[in-house]
Amino acid sequence: MNKFNRVMPRKGSVETIIDRLYEYINPVDPKWIKNIKPASCEDIKKLESICGLKDVGIKVPKSYLEYLKCMGESDGELLSQMVGGNKNIKIILNLYDDIISYDKD
């Protein structure tokens, strides 16, 4: 049996992106949805604050906020396997804290 889903995900809005991803991924990896973990509201607010976009009148893109709300702590290896690296918000925040600590020294 062919393990790859050759059907493109259906088009839709930013608000339905996670549902559409689920529909696309589930036939080939039904465990994926159980492996995702959302970022906390606190971590999302901290990331929004430290990236400095609000200071210049720019909002964090809705699609990225949806991603963080649904899988900001763990994307179930969705992106980490495809593009490499870890997209965990806690790791990103820790890196930022390390940079700030280094700059203060």
Side-chain angles (χ1 to χ4, degrees):
M1 180 175 158
N2 188 350
K3 154 178 177 167
F4 298 101
N5 187 354
R6 296 186 188 269
V7 177
M8 293 303 295
R10 68 179 167 88
K11 293 184 180 186
S13 67
V14 169
E15 290 79 13
T16 64
I17 194 167
I18 303 305
D19 293 333
R20 291 180 290 121
L21 269 174
Y22 171 75
E23 290 170 2
Y24 184 70
I25 294 169
N26 190 57
V28 294
D29 187 2
K31 294 178 185 175
W32 172 76
I33 197 75
K34 294 177 180 132
N35 294 323
I36 63 174
K37 184 176 180 187
S40 70
C41 290
E42 179 183 329
D43 283 346
I44 293 172
K45 286 179 183 175
K46 184 174 180 182
L47 184 64
E48 286 180 301
S49 173
I50 64 174
C51 71
L53 293 177
K54 284 186 180 180
D55 298 341
V56 292
I58 299 172
K59 293 182 179 180
V60 174
K62 277 186 173 184
S63 56
Y64 187 56
L65 288 175
E66 286 298 315
Y67 170 83
L68 292 173
K69 290 175 187 176
C70 292
M71 59 185 92
E73 266 194 50
S74 174
D75 64 10
E77 298 183 346
L78 173 68
L79 293 176
S80 56
Q81 280 192 351
M82 294 177 75
V83 296
N86 193 319
K87 313 304 179 264
N88 183 319
I89 193 171
K90 292 201 177 293
I91 291 173
I92 294 168
L93 293 173
N94 285 337
L95 287 171
Y96 178 79
D97 288 342
D98 289 347
I99 291 168
I100 296 301
S101 296
Y102 181 79
D103 285 346
K104 287 181 181 177
D105 292 341

